[in-house]
Amino acid sequence: RVFSYLTTIYSVTPEAVQIRFAAYKSEHSLLLTTGNLQRYLKRQEFPEAETVPPVPTLQAYILPPHRPTNYGHQLNHMSLSSQEFSTFTASDPEDLVFTVCIPLYHLPNLGRPVGEVSVDISMDLLERLCRFLYDDTEEFYILDSGGHVIFASDETLIGGSLARQWPAEMIRLTQEAGERGFYVDRTCCEDIRICKQISSATMDWYMVKSIPKSLIHRNTNRQLFTLLSAYILC
């Protein structure tokens, strides 16, 4: 029944790399690898500190991009494709995942969760969603409130902490902007910087972008040049 439930999650989240169910009281970990639909069951102890989610009761949370792990299971690599095998052995940025964690409770007792479902989702999903939001001349980041890089136009930065100071300053100014959750900085000499808050019950992310002013004015300058050329010709 549990594996059937995990398969249902995969059917509505096709970008999931693997789905894990941790049952604290029975001390079992169940893992479903979606590439080959292999099922793994393992006895596993859960320390008391690990069973307390870092969010309020009945709330899910998202872990920043990281290398996928097998959650202590011994995977059958013979059944994995070459691409799936590289996901667990290589270190390319595109192999990173972000994890949606869903604590489970035995109602009506809400004192402590009895388990948790962890869904590892491929970064390909964010790449597809963000590919139209920037070009090669722009800097683009999605950051969480802790400064972790969820996504970036520079793939080498994904999963780490951003060393540059101006995105953190943009986040601070956006927070001070209040309910609008949007801030534009035009004081930079060469760029216009934009920050937009992406907030929900499970995440507090910020989309930060730096656009060269020359790029913004390029189309306007082209139109002006065309009009002036036509005027002179006439």
Side-chain angles (χ1 to χ4, degrees), residues 32 37 59 64 82 133 138 148 160 175 193 196 208-209 214-215 217 220:
L32 175 70
L37 293 181
Q59 182 172 321
S82 58
L133 299 178
E138 301 171 340
H148 298 102
Q175 292 171 341
R193 294 168 176 173
K196 171 66 177 175
V208 184
K209 185 175 181 180
S214 58
L215 179 64
H217 300 309
T220 302

Side-chain angles (χ1 to χ4, degrees), residues 133-134 138-144 151-153 162 166-172 174 183 192-198 205-211:
L133 299 178
Y134 65 93
E138 301 171 340
E139 288 186 67
F140 180 84
Y141 307 98
I142 294 181
L143 310 170
D144 65 13
F151 183 82
S153 52
L162 195 61
W166 71 264
E169 180 66 13
M170 289 294 296
I171 291 177
R172 183 187 67 80
T174 303
Y183 183 80
I192 293 180
R193 294 168 176 173
I194 301 173
C195 183
K196 171 66 177 175
Q197 185 176 18
I198 309 172
W205 291 356
Y206 295 86
M207 184 174 62
V208 184
K209 185 175 181 180
S210 179
I211 310 170

Side-chain angles (χ1 to χ4, degrees), residues 182-197:
F182 182 76
Y183 183 80
V184 179
D185 182 10
R186 297 182 175 87
T187 60
C188 182
C189 296
E190 299 179 354
D191 301 330
I192 293 180
R193 294 168 176 173
I194 301 173
C195 183
K196 171 66 177 175
Q197 185 176 18

Side-chain angles (χ1 to χ4, degrees), residues 5-233:
Y5 170 65
L6 299 185
T7 305
T8 301
I9 294 178
Y10 172 53
S11 68
V12 297
T13 316
E15 296 84 6
V17 175
Q18 58 184 6
I19 305 171
R20 183 249 196 153
F21 173 74
Y24 299 149
K25 290 188 176 181
S26 64
E27 296 185 338
H28 278 88
S29 175
L30 297 85
L31 180 68
L32 175 70
T33 55
T34 59
N36 49 13
L37 293 181
Q38 287 291 307
R39 304 176 177 186
Y40 302 91
L41 175 64
K42 181 180 185 296
R43 289 279 299 183
Q44 185 172 343
E45 295 183 1
F46 301 96
E48 192 75 9
E50 294 183 2
T51 63
V52 180
V55 291
T57 301
L58 298 181
Q59 182 172 321
Y61 59 99
I62 299 177
L63 299 179
H66 57 276
R67 292 281 303 142
T69 68
N70 55 16
Y71 295 100
H73 292 263
Q74 185 64 39
L75 301 186
N76 179 15
H77 292 299
M78 296 297 293
S79 65
L80 298 176
S81 67
S82 58
Q83 180 178 1
E84 293 161 349
F85 180 79
S86 67
T87 300
F88 294 93
T89 57
S91 57
D92 295 333
E94 59 266 25
D95 291 331
L96 296 176
V97 299
F98 66 95
T99 303
V100 179
C101 301
I102 310 167
L104 304 177
Y105 296 85
H106 186 194
L107 300 178
N109 181 13
L110 300 178
R112 184 181 294 272
V114 297
E116 183 174 84
V117 173
S118 303
V119 185
D120 291 344
I121 300 178
S122 171
M123 289 298 296
D124 290 343
L125 173 62
L126 287 181
E127 197 277 331
R128 291 200 304 271
L129 293 175
C130 297
R131 67 175 59 173
F132 302 108
L133 299 178
Y134 65 93
D135 61 24
D136 295 337
T137 63
E138 301 171 340
E139 288 186 67
F140 180 84
Y141 307 98
I142 294 181
L143 310 170
D144 65 13
S145 55
H148 298 102
V149 182
I150 306 298
F151 183 82
S153 52
D154 183 356
E155 292 185 351
T156 61
L157 300 176
I158 297 176
S161 296
L162 195 61
R164 306 195 66 181
Q165 295 299 318
W166 71 264
E169 180 66 13
M170 289 294 296
I171 291 177
R172 183 187 67 80
L173 294 172
T174 303
Q175 292 171 341
E176 293 178 354
E179 295 182 357
R180 291 189 306 160
F182 182 76
Y183 183 80
V184 179
D185 182 10
R186 297 182 175 87
T187 60
C188 182
C189 296
E190 299 179 354
D191 301 330
I192 293 180
R193 294 168 176 173
I194 301 173
C195 183
K196 171 66 177 175
Q197 185 176 18
I198 309 172
S199 183
S200 71
T202 58
M203 64 183 180
D204 186 18
W205 291 356
Y206 295 86
M207 184 174 62
V208 184
K209 185 175 181 180
S210 179
I211 310 170
K213 291 181 180 179
S214 58
L215 179 64
I216 295 177
H217 300 309
R218 183 173 60 189
N219 290 336
T220 302
N221 292 336
R222 286 178 179 175
Q223 293 175 0
L224 180 60
F225 176 77
T226 301
L227 289 173
L228 288 175
S229 299
Y231 175 77
I232 293 172
L233 181 61

